[in-house]
């Protein structure tokens, strides 16, 4: 009877230890299998699928394209699913995903920071600019500089002032009057002289 009892006790102890080990393994394995950040990028879309996050804390996700927000910082609980349109681009662009888990600690880092480079869609590729041909230097002589004009004012010869009227040597308009007066005086003198002589001859 004692042998059977000890066998049952040993069997029960082994079962208990096995169960505890199984539970412990499951508990320890849970963090490793949780926090599943899956995302993909095509030439025109970005798909994000975040699952098994801790719903009791605040988790955030941010997506940028060449430094510009495609998805501004957004909070979520246990999961986040979204498909975003990627703007048309003619050359490769960098898509950057940042996931911050609220239960990240020194022992467990559940954050995700990853960048993917995506090429443009077919037909959207931009043609590289053509290099302009190098032109040979012109051999045409340069135009000589214009002769500077003098700033001094040009002095024009002044017009000569007409000479003042010289004394008139010819007769003026008063000459006939003066002559007439002189002739009258002479005639009067001659008449007086003639009359005076006549008187003297009559008295003698």
């Amino acid at each position: 009877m004692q042998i059977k009892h000890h066998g049952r006790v040993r069997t029960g102890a082994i079962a208990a230890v096995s169960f505890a080990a199984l539970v412990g393994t499951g508990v320890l394995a849970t963090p490793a299998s949780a926090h599943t950040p899956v995302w993909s990028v095509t030439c025109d879309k970005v798909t994000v699928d975040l699952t098994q996050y801790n719903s009791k804390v605040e988790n955030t996700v941010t997506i940028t394209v060449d430094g510009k927000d495609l998805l501004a910082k957004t909070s979520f609980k246990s999961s986040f699913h979204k498909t975003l349109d990627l703007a048309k681009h003619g050359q490769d662009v960098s898509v950057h995903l940042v996931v911050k888990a609220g239960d990240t600690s020194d022992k467990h880092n559940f954050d995700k920071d990853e960048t993917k480079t995506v090429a443009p869609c077919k037909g959207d590729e931009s043609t590289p600019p053509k290099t302009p041909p190098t032109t040979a230097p012109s051999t045409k002589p340069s135009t000589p500089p214009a002769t500077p004009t003098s700033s001094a004012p040009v002095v024009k010869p002044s017009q000569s002032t007409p000479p003042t009227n010289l004394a008139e040597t010819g007769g003026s308009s008063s000459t006939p009057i003066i002559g007439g007066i002189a002739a009258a005086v002479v005639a009067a003198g001659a008449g007086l002289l003639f009359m005076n002589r006549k008187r003297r001859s009559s008295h003698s």
Side-chain angles (χ1 to χ4, degrees), residues 105-196:
S105 63
D106 295 337
K107 293 181 179 181
H108 302 287
N109 182 11
F110 303 122
D111 294 342
K112 188 173 184 65
D113 190 326
E114 189 176 1
T115 301
K116 293 183 180 181
T117 302
V118 57
C121 294
K122 188 176 181 180
D124 293 341
E125 299 88 348
S126 59
T127 304
K130 295 181 179 179
T131 305
T134 305
T135 56
S138 176
T139 57
K140 184 178 179 181
S142 59
T143 304
T147 305
T149 57
S150 175
S151 58
V154 179
V155 180
K156 295 182 179 180
S158 59
Q159 296 181 353
S160 60
T161 305
T164 56
N165 292 333
L166 300 176
E168 295 181 359
T169 56
S172 64
S173 59
S174 60
T175 301
I177 298 174
I178 295 174
I181 294 174
V185 171
V186 172
L192 290 175
L193 181 60
F194 177 75
M195 291 180 64
N196 189 22

